[in-house]
Amino acid sequence: MLKKIFNDRQLIVVLLFALIVRLFFMWIYPDQNFPDAVAYKTIGQEIFSGQIITNNTYMPLYPIWSYLTGGGSIQILMDIFISVASVWLVFSLSLLLFENRFSALLSSAISALYPHFLFYSVSGLTEVFYTFLLLFSFLLFYRKKFIIAIIISVIAILVRPTLDFLNPILIVLFVGFVHSSGWRSVVKYLGIYFITYVVLLSPWWMHQYQKYGEFIRLNLADGIVLYSGNNPLNKTGGGIVGTDVDMSSFDNEKNPVIRNNKMKTAAIEYIVSNPGHFIELAGLKFSRFWRLWPHTQHYQQWYVVAASLLSYGVILFLAIGFVFRNAGMYLRRIAPIFVLFGYLTLVHMVTIGSIRYRFPLEPFLIIFSGYFFVDILKKYKLLNCVKNKKSYNSHHKPY
């Protein structure tokens, strides 16, 4: 694999350019000191000092990564390398899906410059690491490397548990639908997934049992995000404490497991009692999830809005064009990607909407938009050739 990359001069140029752009962005862009990034460092230190993790809402793998990379500039540099590797994954997925080298190079070149890739590569957040694992698992599934793909997909849960329910469905789709391997293979790889899931998550389960005195499969974030998005205070579909949600009514409950369960119960009761407002909020969350520029007031500067419109806005427009023009031809092949889009959109229509949670889908949008653009380009070039040929024949009639 590495030999193929190094022998591909055009791809090497794109990857080197992606690296240089990210290093330059790291140099000019100030550290945002996101609360999540600070929390990851703290959790990493607690894990490696043998302590029980005090935080209840994060999974352990990215904090481990943060600790092992030393935090600070070294961690950001490692995230930059992962971001560059994701540019290669975009190229590889595009080439595998559509067998068009030009569109694969175009998609990777867009990814090299894409503002959201640049931003998250230096943020110290989970986005780049998680998206790399997601793209890598999809590439492996497409290449029929099912066991390695399963391992990567379970590892991704230890970074962010969003796809916990979707992973078995993806296995069914890839094994049984995309590759038509038969139901026996589907059952076989679902069994391998279950065993891998138990083996890789067992250390986390032991930690959780030691911490809470009962079995906690993932974390205690589901009650928070569900209540944040479904409560009387929420009018925008977001999850900002003090604006969209007030957690103070749960402060008296000191047991974090019981508090999380109470939040889930309160959210479900609110949804059942207020179905109209729930549907209205779901629409607002959909809009926030697919919004063309950030909702947060901190990122409303004209240049941020312009950069988002000229990058994500154009990519989304072209990707929609792909759906209407090209998707039918490749429907069997890209079905798992469409299911991923629908699943993540639905999850955040029920919980809270934010463009941050959309980021793992954007590399796929880039792949679709790159192919659509090249396909349109080929069409109009072909039309021009036909027109020129007709014009030539009309002016050069045989005697």
Side-chain angles (χ1 to χ4, degrees):
M1 185 181 295
L2 286 174
K3 188 176 180 181
K4 282 185 178 180
I5 295 173
F6 286 120
N7 287 336
D8 191 332
R9 293 184 180 180
Q10 292 171 319
L11 179 58
I12 284 293
V13 169
V14 171
L15 295 178
L16 285 175
F17 182 66
L19 177 61
I20 291 168
V21 171
R22 281 154 179 73
L23 291 174
F24 177 73
F25 194 73
M26 175 186 176
W27 179 51
I28 65 170
Y29 195 71
D31 188 349
Q32 299 295 290
N33 291 311
F34 290 109
D36 286 359
V38 175
Y40 300 143
K41 294 174 184 176
T42 302
I43 295 169
Q45 291 167 357
E46 289 172 340
I47 290 173
F48 283 92
S49 63
Q51 301 176 34
I52 295 295
I53 298 172
T54 53
N55 188 286
N56 298 311
T57 58
Y58 296 114
M59 298 299 284
L61 191 54
Y62 192 76
I64 290 173
W65 172 259
S66 176
Y67 182 87
L68 292 176
T69 55
S73 298
I74 302 300
Q75 178 189 343
I76 298 302
L77 282 171
M78 295 305 297
D79 281 352
I80 283 174
F81 286 123
I82 289 177
S83 181
V84 173
S86 296
V87 174
W88 167 74
L89 289 172
V90 167
F91 171 85
S92 300
L93 273 167
S94 177
L95 189 61
L96 190 150
L97 287 170
F98 305 122
E99 299 174 350
N100 187 305
R101 179 175 170 79
F102 185 29
S103 68
L105 279 171
L106 178 60
S107 297
S108 62
I110 293 169
S111 301
L113 277 172
Y114 195 63
H116 293 171
F117 258 126
L118 302 184
F119 174 80
Y120 286 118
S121 69
V122 301
S123 68
L125 301 174
T126 60
E127 268 64 26
V128 165
F129 192 42
Y130 177 75
T131 302
F132 168 80
L133 293 173
L134 177 64
L135 292 172
F136 193 29
S137 67
F138 267 63
L139 180 64
L140 291 167
F141 273 125
Y142 277 118
R143 289 182 172 173
K144 299 183 74 171
K145 307 290 186 181
F146 295 137
I147 294 178
I148 306 174
I150 285 169
I151 292 171
I152 298 298
S153 66
V154 175
I155 289 173
I157 292 173
L158 288 166
V159 178
R160 188 187 291 178
T162 313
L163 299 185
D164 183 58
F165 294 116
L166 183 64
N167 278 345
I169 298 172
L170 290 175
I171 291 170
V172 173
L173 284 171
F174 275 114
V175 178
F177 187 65
V178 175
H179 296 294
S180 302
S181 297
W183 66 268
R184 291 180 184 274
S185 292
V186 170
V187 172
K188 169 187 171 182
Y189 286 109
L190 283 174
I192 291 172
Y193 177 82
F194 175 76
I195 294 169
T196 305
Y197 188 91
V198 171
V199 170
L200 292 182
L201 264 72
S202 289
W204 178 240
W205 293 341
M206 287 186 283
H207 170 274
Q208 297 292 73
Y209 188 84
Q210 186 179 2
K211 179 178 180 178
Y212 300 113
E214 60 182 278
F215 177 75
I216 302 295
R217 192 165 55 87
L218 298 171
N219 56 25
L220 299 181
D222 52 347
I224 294 173
V225 295
L226 190 61
Y227 183 74
S228 295
N230 301 279
N231 67 85
L233 191 61
N234 198 316
K235 308 297 180 187
T236 70
I240 302 172
V241 176
T243 301
D244 301 306
V245 59
D246 180 7
M247 302 285 192
S248 61
S249 59
F250 302 98
D251 286 347
N252 290 333
E253 180 54 65
K254 301 306 178 184
N255 185 309
V257 178
I258 296 175
R259 183 167 63 247
N260 186 62
N261 290 335
K262 284 185 175 180
M263 287 182 181
K264 283 191 285 188
T265 301
I268 293 169
E269 288 176 352
Y270 184 80
I271 291 170
V272 172
S273 302
N274 301 273
H277 190 219
F278 171 71
I279 293 171
E280 179 187 350
L281 282 175
L284 291 173
K285 293 167 189 174
F286 177 89
S287 298
R288 286 183 69 134
F289 188 76
W290 291 105
R291 185 180 167 93
L292 293 178
W293 62 87
H295 185 275
T296 307
Q297 193 62 36
H298 183 65
Y299 296 108
Q300 294 301 306
Q301 300 91 338
W302 69 268
Y303 52 87
V304 174
V305 174
S308 188
L309 286 172
L310 292 173
S311 56
Y312 166 69
V314 174
I315 292 300
L316 180 63
F317 175 77
L318 293 174
I320 292 171
F322 169 87
V323 171
F324 285 102
R325 177 178 169 80
N326 308 107
M329 188 187 309
Y330 297 99
L331 188 57
R332 188 183 196 93
R333 198 176 300 177
I334 62 177
I337 300 175
F338 279 6
V339 170
L340 172 68
F341 272 59
Y343 174 83
L344 277 184
T345 301
L346 183 61
V347 165
H348 292 289
M349 287 174 67
V350 173
T351 55
I352 55 178
S354 170
I355 65 170
R356 176 183 174 184
Y357 304 126
R358 183 193 69 215
F359 177 71
L361 301 179
E362 292 181 33
F364 296 104
L365 291 177
I366 292 172
I367 291 170
F368 291 160
S369 63
Y371 181 76
F372 174 74
F373 180 80
V374 169
D375 190 48
I376 291 293
L377 196 65
K378 284 168 57 180
K379 176 188 175 184
Y380 281 102
K381 274 190 174 182
L382 182 62
L383 285 176
N384 287 334
C385 288
V386 172
K387 287 178 182 178
N388 290 336
K389 186 175 181 180
K390 286 181 178 179
S391 176
Y392 177 84
N393 289 337
S394 65
H395 287 87
H396 296 79
K397 294 180 180 179
Y399 293 103

